[in-house]
Amino acid sequence: MSSAADTSARLPAHLYVHVPFCRSKCSYCDFFSLSDAAEAATSRWVAEVLAEARWWGARGMRGALETVYVGGGTPSLVAEKVAAVLAGVSAEFAIAPGAEVTVEANPDSLDAKSLASLRAAGVTRVSVGVQSFDDTVLGMLGRRHDSRRAAQACADVREAGLALSVDLICGVPGQSLTSWAETIATAVATGARHVSVYPLALEEGTPLAVAVDGGIVEPPDPDTAADMMVLAEESLARAGLARYEVANYAVPGAESRHNLAYWSGVPYLALGPAAHGMLDVAQARVAGLIGNDDYPDAARVRWSNAADLEWRTLPREVEVLTREEVAREDVMLGLRLVHGVAEEDVRAAELEEVMAELGAEGLVVRASGRWRTTARGWLLGNEVFERVWCG
Ligand code: SF4
């Protein structure tokens, strides 16, 4: 068996923790979360997450963490439990000086007490799920908060001295361009130095998708969503928040270091139900995700924990990528970023022909030794990424 020393070159420096609790389900959501945050369930979740952290630690994955991201679900709903998890994590892994520690929050469960508890636990950044500053749009999305509460939550984060990121959704049925423009302007006025903008995705089986299928709600219009993405890019750029990834904007220096790691092909650990992680093949073998003699062509291993509170007793789903697939995946991930991908990486992935075709269609462009996604390519991002992945 390989030793832990085999994995020391690139020990995971990034950790995701999934919180599986929400007060209620939003109409569009298919993330794994339960609308039961009773003490017994949340305490059990803390114990199991920390047991999982020790499991990784015992397998030599004790890197110094440069970023930790606690997502969900609604981490702010169980802020004191999140603080307990962060304390346990920092006992198991070193947290590097200056680490970025982000917690997702919902406006209806964020207050001075929860912010103080998160800050004392080492949190540096709060990503607030505002989604819209229009109460009609918030109603369509089944959110529990109104626009006034959302603005207050953003102010509270800044007051607590934490970095503020705001999440917004566009392309919602009934949402007008005027409403969207006002939402962006209000997001800018909160002083957020990071904004994420996602077009609404109708996920099968969600109440919103059922209402659309049943003709009760108008289906989202992709052209309107595209106009809204363009409006977001222009308005946020004017306010000093530059796009750095297909859905993310920041004041220079305020980019999410955790998300940048996801798009850079570096290993990261994951704790909690439905959490996804990624390791180099040597690390995956040490951890026992795959056997030492399995998959001789493997270069990278992705896994996801079961979407169940009993996740630690259930098998993980493991995906093994060959060196060729890793090269293609890195190009695909790089094209999500504004700075794009180096020509030599495209060559190494044998994707020159695909990129030339995408270039001819105006979806990517080559300049100064790099391939970058164009404005049109951003709007058709899924098509670009899929064609690169398929080679
Ligand atoms: S708060 Fe977030 S995770 Fe919870 S139901 Fe709503 S969208 Fe889903």
Side-chain angles (χ1 to χ4, degrees):
M1 180 170 168
S2 313
S3 73
D6 292 337
T7 67
S8 61
R10 294 175 70 205
L11 280 174
H14 310 281
L15 173 71
Y16 175 78
V17 183
H18 189 78
V19 178
F21 307 106
C22 289
R23 269 209 176 108
S24 58
K25 285 301 278 187
C26 302
S27 67
Y28 59 99
C29 177
D30 76 339
F31 296 132
F32 176 63
S33 71
L34 307 167
S35 21
D36 169 17
E39 173 61 28
T42 57
S43 293
R44 176 93 198 280
W45 168 77
V46 172
E48 292 295 319
V49 165
L50 294 182
E52 193 176 22
R54 287 192 295 277
W55 187 92
W56 284 109
R59 280 151 186 80
M61 300 299 152
R62 286 199 186 88
L65 297 176
E66 289 161 21
T67 71
V68 179
Y69 193 102
V70 185
T74 308
S76 53
L77 181 62
V78 290
E80 288 184 8
K81 303 293 184 192
V82 169
V85 163
L86 289 172
V89 160
S90 61
E92 188 60 38
F93 307 94
I95 307 251
E100 174 191 276
V101 181
T102 304
V103 167
E104 288 182 348
N106 272 357
D108 78 308
S109 57
L110 198 62
D111 55 24
K113 188 167 166 246
S114 56
L115 279 165
S117 146
L118 293 171
R119 192 178 168 169
V123 170
T124 61
R125 184 173 180 274
V126 180
S127 174
V128 182
V130 168
Q131 316 312 359
S132 174
F133 285 103
D134 179 327
D135 289 343
T136 308
V137 173
L138 288 169
M140 177 64 75
L141 293 173
R143 303 292 294 186
R144 297 176 63 93
H145 61 271
D146 61 14
S147 54
R148 193 194 53 77
R149 181 72 206 108
Q152 187 59 52
C154 293
D156 290 346
V157 170
R158 296 197 64 209
E159 180 75 13
L162 296 165
L164 169 66
S165 176
V166 167
D167 272 12
L168 302 176
I169 295 183
C170 67
V172 180
Q175 184 182 34
S176 68
L177 267 175
T178 307
S179 156
W180 177 237
E182 283 168 6
T183 279
I184 296 170
T186 311
V188 167
T190 64
R193 289 162 60 80
H194 188 281
V195 174
S196 302
V197 175
Y198 300 100
L200 178 69
L202 273 189
E203 304 294 349
E204 205 182 324
T206 57
L208 190 56
V210 170
V212 168
D213 286 348
I216 299 163
V217 169
E218 283 284 304
D221 173 15
D223 292 338
T224 307
D227 289 346
M228 290 178 174
M229 294 294 278
V230 171
L231 181 66
E233 177 168 27
E234 291 168 356
S235 310
L236 291 168
R238 275 197 300 277
L241 287 95
R243 187 181 226 165
Y244 68 98
E245 192 264 350
V246 59
N248 286 283
Y249 301 81
V251 170
E255 297 85 358
S256 162
R257 286 159 53 196
H258 186 83
N259 286 344
L260 283 171
Y262 285 160
W263 303 314
S264 308
V266 297
Y268 53 92
L269 290 179
L271 306 175
H276 301 246
M278 192 266 278
L279 290 176
D280 289 347
V281 67
Q283 297 165 337
R285 291 197 200 283
V286 168
L289 289 183
I290 59 171
N292 276 344
D293 300 324
D294 298 341
Y295 306 102
D297 295 345
R300 179 178 286 173
V301 176
R302 295 186 170 279
W303 81 92
S304 47
N305 287 341
D308 191 298
L309 275 188
E310 300 294 324
W311 81 98
R312 291 199 59 240
T313 63
L314 296 167
R316 297 183 173 98
E317 209 167 286
V318 172
E319 183 192 7
V320 178
L321 274 66
T322 63
R323 200 162 295 285
E324 292 73 31
E325 287 170 330
V326 166
R328 281 208 304 277
E329 181 174 77
D330 285 348
V331 170
M332 187 181 75
L333 292 172
L335 286 174
R336 298 183 65 97
L337 297 166
V338 164
H339 75 242
V341 189
E343 277 180 352
E344 59 262 31
D345 292 338
V346 168
R347 233 184 341 268
E350 298 180 8
L351 283 168
E352 286 162 302
E353 211 172 297
V354 173
M355 296 299 277
E357 284 169 16
L358 292 170
E361 294 170 43
L363 300 173
V364 296
V365 65
R366 180 164 54 175
S368 311
R370 299 188 77 80
W371 284 96
R372 294 182 175 82
T373 308
T374 61
R376 186 171 132 73
W378 292 123
L379 295 175
L380 298 170
N382 287 343
E383 184 183 333
V384 173
F385 307 141
E386 194 180 319
R387 281 169 61 184
V388 168
W389 175 242
C390 293

